[in-house]
Amino acid sequence: MYFASDNTSGMPERIVNAIIQANSGYASGYGTDPSMAQLSTRIREVFEAPEAEVFLVTTGSAANALALSSYCPPWGAVYCHALAHIEVDECGAPEFYTGGAKLTHVAGADGKMDPQALADTLARAGRGVVHHVQPGIVSLTNLTECGTRYSAAEISALAEIARSHGLPVHLDGARFANALVAEGCSPADMSWRAGVDVLSLGGTKNGLMGVEAVVMFDPARAWEFQLRRKRGGHLWSKHRYLSAQMAAWLEDGFWLDLARDANAMAARLEQGLRAYPQVDVSFPRGGNMLFARWPRAWHARLHEDGAKYYLWPDHETLAGPEETPLGARLVCSWNTSPAQVDGFLERMGA
Amino acid sequence: MYFASDNTSGMPERIVNAIIQANSGYASGYGTDPSMAQLSTRIREVFEAPEAEVFLVTTGSAANALALSSYCPPWGAVYCHALAHIEVDECGAPEFYTGGAKLTHVAGADGKMDPQALADTLARAGRGVVHHVQPGIVSLTNLTECGTRYSAAEISALAEIARSHGLPVHLDGARFANALVAEGCSPADMSWRAGVDVLSLGGTKNGLMGVEAVVMFDPARAWEFQLRRKRGGHLWSKHRYLSAQMAAWLEDGFWLDLARDANAMAARLEQGLRAYPQVDVSFPRGGNMLFARWPRAWHARLHEDGAKYYLWPDHETLAGPEETPLGARLVCSWNTSPAQVDGFLERMGA
Amino acid sequence: MYFASDNTSGMPERIVNAIIQANSGYASGYGTDPSMAQLSTRIREVFEAPEAEVFLVTTGSAANALALSSYCPPWGAVYCHALAHIEVDECGAPEFYTGGAKLTHVAGADGKMDPQALADTLARAGRGVVHHVQPGIVSLTNLTECGTRYSAAEISALAEIARSHGLPVHLDGARFANALVAEGCSPADMSWRAGVDVLSLGGTKNGLMGVEAVVMFDPARAWEFQLRRKRGGHLWSKHRYLSAQMAAWLEDGFWLDLARDANAMAARLEQGLRAYPQVDVSFPRGGNMLFARWPRAWHARLHEDGAKYYLWPDHETLAGPEETPLGARLVCSWNTSPAQVDGFLERMGA
Amino acid sequence: MYFASDNTSGMPERIVNAIIQANSGYASGYGTDPSMAQLSTRIREVFEAPEAEVFLVTTGSAANALALSSYCPPWGAVYCHALAHIEVDECGAPEFYTGGAKLTHVAGADGKMDPQALADTLARAGRGVVHHVQPGIVSLTNLTECGTRYSAAEISALAEIARSHGLPVHLDGARFANALVAEGCSPADMSWRAGVDVLSLGGTKNGLMGVEAVVMFDPARAWEFQLRRKRGGHLWSKHRYLSAQMAAWLEDGFWLDLARDANAMAARLEQGLRAYPQVDVSFPRGGNMLFARWPRAWHARLHEDGAKYYLWPDHETLAGPEETPLGARLVCSWNTSPAQVDGFLERMGA
């Protein structure tokens, strides 16, 4: 009953085997070994983006912060949703890496930026007025932090607004694969074709040990990115272990299979939750994550039984009147099993 | 014939097995799983330092820069040797993490800081004068970047000078194990007993995939360190893979065995080199790394044969008169074999 | 008809004379001349704060950003109103000086922080959770950016909430004197007695050339402040010109007289505006600044006649239907004359 | 007997009058009033640089740090002499403003960078190697911190080396006027014609209250500079007082007259010093500043008589054997009088 996060799961056997294979012999360091070149080629194929540059780091915060800092100056505004991971859960990594850019909220329901809100915000941003922070970059997340999903068309619409103000677009894709298989479109459709300039392509939450790719569709900032990565302490010497994992993950669409499994379990969980009239599902489920509210007493029971998940919003606690509803965030991963889901659902309403 | 760096080697089987074992089931993230607590306890035992706080990151640059930034303010001077890794090889990571501290050179032969030079530098540092950067921290490296070694007594002498000026001491221990076994003293003797406040304990160059521990002997800055680590994007979600590796590495003195093997191969290499009158060994060998100069023509031959090592200083190239001497940096690792060493020596003078 | 800002006025003759007097002879630099020591003593008397440390800079942004950075770490949150000058009008100076702190909005009507909103925000701030930026400092402004005023009791109430969470309080007092004379309380009552730890005491908007004092009621961070000031390029060599101005300004309550004059003109202006049924005064006037809305056609007429003031919000323009209301910000200064006010009012409704 | 610094002198009457004149009436803020546009035009004429952009700040540290940060990235090296003001006397302002660039020493006698040393340093800088800080900018000072002077040809030679490595050149001209009149060349010859891209044109040490111009001969970074200036808290609201001072200073070559006076007094001082066999003048005098060594007992006598100057190097003290030589830095300003010089010389050897 582990629904705390998709990063509490381990690695599938194929990934472990890739690590074991990568372990033989010597390899030159820092991404200069052949495996990284091969991986870059593979990602360019997968994304139909022959000019793209690809760099690996080991955390999502590093991927996001390095990507943002390569496109947004210290005096820039990073436009994001108030619930965005970069705003809430990275202890200020974007501010640190950019040298003090200002994360500026753009409103929208269900964790998704509203196009009109973005347009209004940019129209009033004060570009060219020296007293104000200048428009820097638009950062979206897919899946969002509410577990909802942008369609490729929705990303496109937001990116077009950004573009009309001369701004680049970043996509935090910590759960990009989950969004992709749910949407049923191609990686290119969900990224550069929709106007995304730089993508944080998450592997860690979808089966890797700790590997995230930054995919720069416009390679102009690639060298700057490399210097920033090194300077941030994020250039691995034994880099082969990162490229080997991601190569195995991309092989034969394995990454999409893992995401499909996670999404399917979330769908099963949602179905079960909706069967209880006492349960209120909070947002339209976009992939492998869902939010719901149910009586506090049920939470207590689940916690006693060892169920792992976060209360939501995260400042909430179990303390309170038994019958009052209390929110939960539930995340399924590639190795969540039907038995786990069913067990959770059973005990919940027992 | 891979002598480029100890980080071009992979992981010994014990470490791979530790990863495989860590892979089963779910674990809470970000170092909150039991394996990190156990590792902290173990490191406290190994270092006889029951109050120490331990944090893991995956690169030496991250370990160093985070450690320095936790002790040195933005307006501080970091006193180091001109050849120090933090000065030369981290693309300014210490400046980035500290918010702009000034790396200030302290002279000394063979990559080692000279006590008198440190005393003189500190005496003239201008503490209390607002126009000058203020003394911040002393940073030593053992093994040094010249492959030489500080004895525990030498570290002690430098730390005492630092202490007399109210400064903390950082030790970059990317090759701490190699220094330790060569010196034949205890981890405590080479660290806190010698006056070290914070240690970057390197695992990557000695058999791990990418794991470095920051050991804070004075835990007062531990929480600040954790925030800096998160903010730097260096807090792993699937943290168990890091703690599991380092736990296996410390078990039964395995880390010291690995270092002993590397040092022994370097000794064998040195012996072979010294047998050639055309070879000039540059510095007293402290552990698993050595520097030597020999005729340029020999370098060309070795390169043709596929030998891997860096020319030194690193701005040198093979181009030049055949008979002129040219420097090399040669590093042995835990899996360097006698056959590799002997093969290198043979071809070199062939 | 100059109502654009109180900083478009010059200096009263007494201040000019102080500069002329300060100009004779030699003086040691960087605030080490006797005039700064005398000024510090005087400010301690005026504020009944014998332990306070005082430092001069020449812009409000510098005063605010340096003050905030001396109390809030890079991973801290600066709690402020969404309209605060530090958030809107300093091009990210607080982020720059703090090394990337996050300005976090606390709601409230009329530009004033609501105590309940502050309490709620702090209760949910996630102190001790490494993923979140940590609570850093509460920053208030008096007069606010809406021209409204906190009473000493209101500041006290907010400061008490801050204190209960262990947070220091900063007061941006660019118009401190205007607030003080309107409130009719003592400098101490409006600052340290109300729980303020550090005050930006503005002189520039109230008759000085460019002089702001940072008053640190708790002197513990004084040395850090001095280093930050120097490092920010804000330590004047010919410092005597700053201390001389502020000394003359404080003499015989001259600073309060200037503020009283400005407030009186704003009162006259308000009275005149309220006489027009077409004019809607937006916020309760706290001192020398007011906001009002009136027909767009009237704005056009005033602009043609050379009246100087900002439309508000500042992204508004004159373009639009004649009869629609449009906002203005009107600021009076120490040398605004009754004739100017009356002339403005006349032409407005002509 | 005030030889401590040229910034311990006040302002000539013409400058005071310019302030008084600027004080009448209202003026729009932040450099948008007509006086700044006029000054920019004037500086373009004086420098024969019709494309140049000009910005005012109030300290030399601000001018230097803002200029450097507009041309050198955070991962860049700023090449300067070990004695440069930016390295020694700005408490790390360049590191702060650039976001952590590395000040890298280039050797040379008498405070002047040696062309061969610069060429060698750049040849070994490791451009394109991600582990190393990348070449960023070359920063020269004229007059140097040793009081010596670069000729226009010498600046040209250094700038050509910089240019051949693709690097821009900054000139710290805190004493630019003193260098100019001593060299007898035009402002253009000593700046852009010699390859300087950005100049810190110092007014404060040559008669202004606190005004420095940053002259950008290539205007491409002008907007970035303005944002950095604002963000650094260096954009004055009552900006007219700065532009008025500098305009009066440039009028009829007044700035050059002031510098000539200062240089003449330094020449008189030098002549007097050389007349004493016990005095050893340390460096070739370039303008208004000189360094010399004489018996410690003489220093004690001068100090008793109230003479003001710095011992040099600045960690030296009066304590020590009477007959041993001790260094001094002596600076003349626009209002140093022959009587002061002669008085100093007399008492010295009395």
Side-chain angles (χ1 to χ4, degrees):
Chain A
M1 300 203 301
Y2 236 102
F3 300 97
S5 176
D6 26 14
N7 63 32
T8 59
S9 293
M11 299 180 276
E13 208 177 331
R14 274 166 79 154
I15 304 301
V16 174
N17 286 341
I19 291 174
I20 293 171
Q21 271 187 292
N23 193 47
S24 75
Y26 296 86
S28 65
Y30 306 108
T32 62
D33 67 310
S35 74
M36 183 60 208
Q38 288 158 18
L39 175 65
S40 290
T41 301
R42 184 74 193 108
I43 288 183
R44 288 182 194 119
E45 288 166 7
V46 166
F47 279 86
E48 307 167 59
E51 306 292 324
E53 290 285 353
V54 183
F55 302 107
L56 304 183
V57 294
T58 63
T59 72
S61 295
N64 288 336
L66 284 165
L68 292 171
S69 68
S70 297
Y71 290 89
C72 181
W75 49 86
V78 176
Y79 297 99
C80 63
H81 195 276
L83 296 175
H85 197 270
I86 58 169
E87 167 68 351
V88 174
D89 276 313
E90 301 186 351
C91 197
E95 286 91 342
F96 175 46
Y97 276 88
T98 57
K102 191 183 281 287
L103 273 65
T104 301
H105 301 176
V106 179
D110 301 341
K112 293 167 69 176
M113 213 181 260
D114 178 63
Q116 192 56 51
L118 178 61
D120 289 353
T121 302
L122 291 178
R124 295 169 182 182
R127 183 189 286 275
V129 179
V130 80
H131 305 281
H132 304 331
V133 160
Q134 297 295 295
I137 192 168
V138 172
S139 179
L140 308 172
T141 317
N142 208 17
L143 303 182
T144 74
E145 286 73 19
C146 293
T148 53
R149 191 175 72 240
Y150 288 105
S151 68
E154 287 172 322
I155 293 177
S156 228
L158 290 162
E160 206 163 308
I161 296 166
R163 195 73 56 205
S164 74
H165 287 266
L167 299 188
V169 176
H170 166 248
L171 183 64
D172 176 355
R175 295 185 179 94
F176 184 78
N178 303 93
L180 206 63
V181 298
E183 193 65 21
C185 69
S186 76
D189 287 342
M190 185 72 97
S191 59
W192 65 268
R193 263 196 216 114
V196 172
D197 296 274
V198 59
L199 166 70
S200 300
L201 173 60
T204 311
K205 288 187 160 78
N206 193 27
L208 302 187
M209 184 193 278
V211 190
E212 312 277 311
V214 173
V215 187
M216 305 179 91
F217 297 108
D218 170 357
R221 311 282 178 97
W223 175 233
E224 174 174 335
F225 184 94
Q226 289 180 273
L227 291 160
R228 288 185 180 275
R229 177 175 60 164
K230 171 66 194 181
R231 185 170 173 79
H234 285 290
L235 178 57
W236 265 42
S237 55
K238 297 185 175 176
H239 190 278
R240 54 171 144 169
Y241 296 108
L242 307 183
S243 39
Q245 283 182 67
M246 193 161 256
W249 186 71
L250 288 172
E251 208 179 305
D252 306 326
F254 184 50
W255 64 308
L256 302 176
D257 295 342
L258 293 170
R260 263 182 221 107
D261 287 351
N263 287 4
M265 287 305 101
R268 185 184 190 106
L269 184 57
E270 184 185 12
Q271 196 176 23
L273 289 172
R274 289 194 184 276
Y276 289 111
Q278 300 91 332
V279 175
D280 182 29
V281 174
S282 304
F283 308 111
R285 184 182 58 79
N288 66 320
M289 181 157 67
L290 48 86
F291 294 77
R293 298 176 69 78
W294 60 72
R296 203 171 290 262
W298 296 21
H299 284 282
R301 188 161 56 237
L302 284 161
H303 273 69
E304 276 162 28
D305 287 350
K308 302 286 187 196
Y309 60 89
Y310 286 105
L311 298 181
W312 196 84
D314 72 355
H315 57 81
E316 287 287 2
T317 66
L318 285 180
E322 285 211 347
E323 67 286 358
T324 55
L326 181 61
R329 188 188 84 150
L330 302 168
V331 194
C332 295
S333 83
W334 65 271
N335 72 339
T336 304
S337 66
Q340 286 173 321
V341 171
D342 298 348
F344 183 88
L345 289 166
E346 263 170 46
R347 266 168 255 186
M348 180 177 182
Chain B
M1 300 205 300
Y2 236 102
F3 300 99
S5 176
D6 25 14
N7 63 32
T8 58
S9 293
M11 299 180 275
E13 208 177 330
R14 274 166 80 155
I15 304 301
V16 175
N17 287 339
I19 290 174
I20 293 171
Q21 270 188 293
N23 194 46
S24 75
Y26 296 86
S28 63
Y30 306 108
T32 62
D33 68 311
S35 74
M36 183 59 207
Q38 288 158 18
L39 175 65
S40 290
T41 300
R42 184 75 192 107
I43 288 183
R44 288 181 194 119
E45 288 166 6
V46 167
F47 280 86
E48 306 168 59
E51 306 293 324
E53 291 285 353
V54 182
F55 302 106
L56 303 183
V57 294
T58 62
T59 72
S61 294
N64 288 336
L66 284 165
L68 292 171
S69 68
S70 297
Y71 289 89
C72 180
W75 50 85
V78 176
Y79 298 100
C80 64
H81 196 277
L83 297 174
H85 197 270
I86 58 170
E87 168 68 352
V88 174
D89 277 313
E90 302 187 348
C91 196
E95 285 90 344
F96 175 47
Y97 276 89
T98 57
K102 191 183 281 289
L103 273 64
T104 301
H105 300 175
V106 178
D110 300 342
K112 294 166 69 176
M113 212 181 262
D114 177 63
Q116 192 56 51
L118 178 61
D120 289 353
T121 302
L122 292 178
R124 295 169 182 181
R127 182 189 286 279
V129 179
V130 80
H131 305 282
H132 304 331
V133 159
Q134 296 295 294
I137 192 168
V138 172
S139 179
L140 308 173
T141 316
N142 209 17
L143 303 183
T144 74
E145 287 72 18
C146 293
T148 53
R149 192 174 72 239
Y150 288 105
S151 68
E154 287 172 323
I155 292 176
S156 229
L158 290 162
E160 204 163 311
I161 295 165
R163 195 73 57 206
S164 75
H165 286 266
L167 300 187
V169 176
H170 165 249
L171 183 63
D172 177 354
R175 295 186 179 91
F176 185 78
N178 303 92
L180 206 62
V181 298
E183 192 64 21
C185 71
S186 76
D189 287 343
M190 186 72 97
S191 58
W192 65 267
R193 264 197 215 112
V196 172
D197 296 274
V198 59
L199 168 69
S200 300
L201 173 59
T204 311
K205 288 187 159 77
N206 193 26
L208 303 186
M209 182 192 279
V211 190
E212 312 277 310
V214 173
V215 186
M216 305 180 92
F217 297 108
D218 170 357
R221 309 283 177 97
W223 175 234
E224 174 175 336
F225 184 94
Q226 289 181 271
L227 291 160
R228 288 185 180 277
R229 178 176 59 166
K230 171 68 192 179
R231 184 170 174 79
H234 286 290
L235 178 57
W236 265 41
S237 55
K238 298 185 175 175
H239 190 278
R240 54 172 144 167
Y241 296 107
L242 306 182
S243 39
Q245 284 181 68
M246 194 162 255
W249 186 72
L250 288 172
E251 209 178 303
D252 305 327
F254 185 51
W255 65 308
L256 303 176
D257 295 342
L258 294 169
R260 262 182 222 107
D261 287 353
N263 288 4
M265 287 304 101
R268 186 183 189 105
L269 184 57
E270 184 185 11
Q271 198 176 22
L273 289 172
R274 288 194 185 277
Y276 288 112
Q278 300 91 332
V279 175
D280 182 27
V281 174
S282 304
F283 308 111
R285 183 182 58 78
N288 66 320
M289 181 157 65
L290 48 88
F291 294 76
R293 298 176 68 78
W294 60 73
R296 202 170 289 261
W298 296 21
H299 283 282
R301 187 160 58 234
L302 284 161
H303 274 68
E304 276 161 29
D305 288 350
K308 304 284 187 197
Y309 60 89
Y310 286 105
L311 298 180
W312 197 85
D314 71 356
H315 56 81
E316 287 287 4
T317 65
L318 285 181
E322 286 212 347
E323 67 288 359
T324 55
L326 182 61
R329 188 189 83 150
L330 301 167
V331 194
C332 295
S333 83
W334 65 271
N335 73 338
T336 305
S337 66
Q340 286 174 318
V341 171
D342 298 348
F344 182 88
L345 290 166
E346 263 170 48
R347 265 167 256 188
M348 178 178 185
Chain C
M1 298 203 298
Y2 236 102
F3 300 98
S5 177
D6 25 15
N7 63 33
T8 59
S9 293
M11 299 179 277
E13 207 177 331
R14 274 167 80 153
I15 303 301
V16 175
N17 287 340
I19 290 174
I20 293 170
Q21 270 189 293
N23 194 46
S24 76
Y26 296 87
S28 64
Y30 307 108
T32 62
D33 68 310
S35 75
M36 183 59 207
Q38 287 158 17
L39 175 65
S40 292
T41 300
R42 185 73 193 110
I43 288 184
R44 287 182 194 118
E45 288 165 7
V46 167
F47 279 87
E48 306 167 58
E51 306 291 325
E53 291 284 352
V54 183
F55 302 107
L56 303 183
V57 294
T58 62
T59 72
S61 294
N64 288 336
L66 284 166
L68 292 171
S69 68
S70 296
Y71 289 90
C72 181
W75 49 85
V78 176
Y79 298 100
C80 64
H81 196 277
L83 297 174
H85 197 270
I86 58 169
E87 168 67 353
V88 174
D89 277 313
E90 301 186 352
C91 196
E95 286 91 342
F96 175 47
Y97 276 88
T98 58
K102 191 183 281 289
L103 273 63
T104 302
H105 301 176
V106 179
D110 300 341
K112 292 168 68 176
M113 213 181 261
D114 177 64
Q116 191 56 51
L118 178 60
D120 290 353
T121 301
L122 290 178
R124 295 170 181 180
R127 182 189 284 277
V129 179
V130 81
H131 304 282
H132 304 332
V133 159
Q134 297 295 295
I137 193 167
V138 172
S139 179
L140 308 172
T141 317
N142 209 16
L143 304 182
T144 74
E145 285 74 17
C146 293
T148 54
R149 190 176 73 240
Y150 288 105
S151 68
E154 286 173 322
I155 293 176
S156 227
L158 290 162
E160 204 163 311
I161 295 165
R163 195 73 56 208
S164 75
H165 287 266
L167 300 187
V169 176
H170 165 249
L171 184 64
D172 177 353
R175 295 185 179 94
F176 185 78
N178 303 91
L180 206 62
V181 298
E183 192 65 20
C185 70
S186 76
D189 287 342
M190 186 72 97
S191 58
W192 65 267
R193 261 194 218 117
V196 171
D197 296 275
V198 60
L199 168 69
S200 300
L201 173 60
T204 311
K205 290 188 159 77
N206 193 27
L208 302 187
M209 182 193 281
V211 189
E212 312 277 310
V214 173
V215 186
M216 306 178 91
F217 297 107
D218 170 358
R221 311 283 178 95
W223 176 234
E224 174 175 334
F225 184 94
Q226 288 180 272
L227 291 161
R228 288 185 180 276
R229 178 176 58 165
K230 172 68 194 178
R231 183 171 175 80
H234 286 290
L235 178 57
W236 265 41
S237 56
K238 296 186 176 175
H239 190 278
R240 55 172 143 165
Y241 296 107
L242 307 182
S243 37
Q245 283 181 69
M246 195 163 253
W249 185 72
L250 288 172
E251 210 178 302
D252 306 326
F254 185 50
W255 63 309
L256 302 176
D257 296 341
L258 294 170
R260 261 181 223 109
D261 287 351
N263 289 4
M265 287 305 102
R268 186 184 190 104
L269 184 57
E270 184 186 11
Q271 198 176 20
L273 289 172
R274 288 194 186 276
Y276 289 112
Q278 299 91 331
V279 175
D280 182 29
V281 175
S282 304
F283 309 111
R285 184 182 57 80
N288 66 320
M289 180 157 66
L290 49 87
F291 295 76
R293 299 176 68 77
W294 61 74
R296 202 171 291 260
W298 295 21
H299 284 282
R301 187 161 56 235
L302 285 161
H303 274 68
E304 276 162 29
D305 287 351
K308 302 287 186 195
Y309 58 89
Y310 286 106
L311 298 181
W312 196 85
D314 69 357
H315 56 82
E316 287 287 4
T317 65
L318 283 180
E322 285 212 346
E323 68 287 0
T324 56
L326 181 61
R329 188 189 83 150
L330 302 167
V331 194
C332 295
S333 83
W334 66 270
N335 72 337
T336 305
S337 68
Q340 286 174 319
V341 170
D342 298 346
F344 182 89
L345 289 166
E346 262 169 49
R347 267 168 255 188
M348 179 178 185
Chain D
M1 298 202 300
Y2 237 103
F3 300 97
S5 177
D6 25 15
N7 63 32
T8 59
S9 293
M11 300 179 277
E13 208 177 330
R14 274 166 78 153
I15 305 300
V16 174
N17 287 340
I19 291 174
I20 293 170
Q21 271 188 291
N23 193 47
S24 76
Y26 297 86
S28 65
Y30 307 108
T32 62
D33 67 310
S35 73
M36 184 58 209
Q38 288 157 17
L39 175 65
S40 291
T41 300
R42 183 75 192 108
I43 288 183
R44 288 183 193 117
E45 288 165 7
V46 167
F47 279 87
E48 306 167 57
E51 306 292 324
E53 291 284 354
V54 182
F55 302 106
L56 303 184
V57 294
T58 62
T59 72
S61 294
N64 288 335
L66 284 165
L68 292 171
S69 69
S70 297
Y71 290 89
C72 181
W75 49 86
V78 176
Y79 298 100
C80 64
H81 196 277
L83 295 174
H85 197 270
I86 58 169
E87 168 67 351
V88 174
D89 276 314
E90 302 186 351
C91 197
E95 286 90 343
F96 175 47
Y97 276 89
T98 56
K102 191 184 281 288
L103 273 64
T104 301
H105 301 174
V106 178
D110 300 341
K112 293 168 68 177
M113 215 181 260
D114 177 64
Q116 191 56 51
L118 178 61
D120 289 352
T121 301
L122 291 178
R124 294 171 181 178
R127 182 189 285 276
V129 180
V130 81
H131 304 282
H132 304 332
V133 160
Q134 296 295 295
I137 192 168
V138 172
S139 179
L140 307 172
T141 317
N142 208 19
L143 304 183
T144 74
E145 287 73 17
C146 293
T148 53
R149 190 176 73 240
Y150 288 105
S151 68
E154 287 171 323
I155 292 176
S156 228
L158 290 162
E160 204 163 312
I161 296 166
R163 194 74 55 206
S164 74
H165 287 266
L167 300 188
V169 175
H170 166 248
L171 183 64
D172 177 354
R175 295 186 179 92
F176 184 78
N178 302 92
L180 207 61
V181 297
E183 193 65 20
C185 69
S186 77
D189 287 342
M190 185 71 98
S191 58
W192 65 268
R193 263 197 216 113
V196 172
D197 296 274
V198 58
L199 167 69
S200 301
L201 173 60
T204 311
K205 289 187 158 79
N206 194 26
L208 302 186
M209 183 193 280
V211 190
E212 311 278 310
V214 173
V215 186
M216 305 178 92
F217 296 107
D218 169 358
R221 310 283 178 96
W223 176 233
E224 174 174 335
F225 184 93
Q226 288 180 274
L227 290 162
R228 288 185 180 276
R229 178 176 59 166
K230 171 66 192 179
R231 184 171 174 78
H234 286 290
L235 178 57
W236 265 42
S237 55
K238 296 185 176 177
H239 190 277
R240 54 172 144 167
Y241 296 107
L242 306 182
S243 38
Q245 284 181 68
M246 195 162 254
W249 186 72
L250 288 172
E251 209 178 304
D252 306 327
F254 185 49
W255 63 308
L256 302 177
D257 295 342
L258 294 170
R260 261 182 223 109
D261 286 351
N263 288 4
M265 287 304 103
R268 185 184 190 105
L269 184 57
E270 184 185 11
Q271 195 175 23
L273 289 172
R274 289 194 186 277
Y276 289 111
Q278 300 92 330
V279 175
D280 182 28
V281 174
S282 303
F283 309 111
R285 185 182 57 79
N288 67 321
M289 181 158 64
L290 49 86
F291 294 76
R293 298 175 68 77
W294 60 73
R296 201 171 293 261
W298 294 21
H299 284 282
R301 187 163 54 236
L302 284 161
H303 274 68
E304 274 162 29
D305 287 350
K308 303 287 186 194
Y309 59 88
Y310 287 105
L311 298 181
W312 197 85
D314 71 355
H315 56 81
E316 287 287 3
T317 66
L318 284 180
E322 285 212 348
E323 67 286 358
T324 56
L326 182 60
R329 187 189 84 151
L330 302 168
V331 194
C332 295
S333 83
W334 64 271
N335 73 337
T336 304
S337 67
Q340 286 173 320
V341 170
D342 298 348
F344 182 87
L345 289 166
E346 262 170 49
R347 267 167 253 187
M348 179 178 184

